[in-house]
Amino acid sequence: MLERYENLYDRTKPYSRFKDISVSERILNTVFLLTIGLGYLMALANMYYTHQGLDGKAGLSVDDVVISYHGGNNQTRLGTAINGIMKSNLRYADDKDVILQWIKQGAEETGYDEKIAPILNRDCILCHTPSINPSLPDLTHYATVSQVAHAGGVTLPTLVRVSHIHLFGIAFILFFIGKIFLLCDMNVYVKRVAVVIPFAAMLLDILSWFITKEISSFAYVVIFSGALMGLSMGLQILLSIYQMWFFSRK
Ligand code: HEC
């Protein structure tokens, strides 16, 4: 018993490194890492397609991230309706631009009574009054108009759902990548820090989704931490594959 404990603290035996594992294990590690790498590239492409162009411009930008999480002035229910199926209810076509301009400037309460209420009262509330059509958006006063004039961004239940999938899924991926990476031959202090970075970056990324929902400037933290996670994970994969096959220090 005592002997076993002593063995546990016996540091004269080196930890295993890539040179200590069999070729079949290297092959298994390599196909795993390559598959994860491909999966990550697909995740990037998926992210591009879901978020790009939300701000009306092609390509992915900080504004797209802000709109996804925080919401924006494009794609409000009022804006979409007035540009589409509800346009014909306007008596004067110019009023469409008045409403769209107001939405674009943030759909604030100031100016609502003078500019917006008269249009809605004349053209819309004959249908959009709760006592007439309880299922339609109420356009009789600012508070309810405001709800359809702002786009809310992502909802809390959606964020919670996406977060728990990411936390469970990515934790597994990072754990196995880290386990393989630990077989690299390098400074142990660098290694101890390196295995923590992708986990920390993922946690910061997910935390900043929630903050960006409230504070739009946190979109920069979302992008930074997402990039840091990808980079640190990618480096672990590349270094592991390199050391496994092309590097040997005896
Ligand atoms: C003749 C009745 C009528 C008038 C007038 C009318 N609407 Fe509507 N509105 C509807 C109906 C019915 C729907 C539901 C349509 C649907 O869900 O397909 C609707 C839906 C909407 C919606 C919600 C769309 C969504 O996202 O579900 C908005 C916003 C809207 N109308 C705005 C307006 C505005 C602004 C005006 C005035 C310019 C207006 N409506 C005038 C009947 C009307």
Side-chain angles (χ1 to χ4, degrees), residues 169-231:
I170 299 179
F172 267 102
I173 292 172
L174 294 181
F175 178 78
F176 285 113
I177 293 177
K179 274 291 218 193
I180 297 173
F181 172 73
L182 288 182
L183 300 175
C184 280
D185 208 329
M186 65 167 67
N187 181 305
V188 288
Y189 296 103
V190 174
K191 220 149 74 170
R192 286 171 192 174
V193 175
V195 288
V196 175
I197 291 175
F199 284 94
M202 172 186 63
L203 290 174
L204 181 63
D205 197 28
I206 290 176
L207 183 70
S208 50
W209 297 348
F210 286 86
I211 303 178
T212 306
K213 184 169 158 45
E214 307 303 325
I215 306 167
S216 60
S217 51
F218 259 76
Y220 288 98
V221 184
V222 172
I223 294 168
F224 165 79
S225 49
L228 181 63
M229 197 205 81
L231 263 171

Side-chain angles (χ1 to χ4, degrees), residues 77-78 81-82 85-86 89-90 120 123-124 126-128 136-137 139 148:
R77 288 177 69 191
L78 182 61
I82 208 72
I85 47 171
M86 293 295 131
N89 290 311
L90 286 172
L120 302 184
D123 299 336
C124 313
L126 58 146
C127 298
H128 287 272
L136 296 185
L139 300 183
V148 285

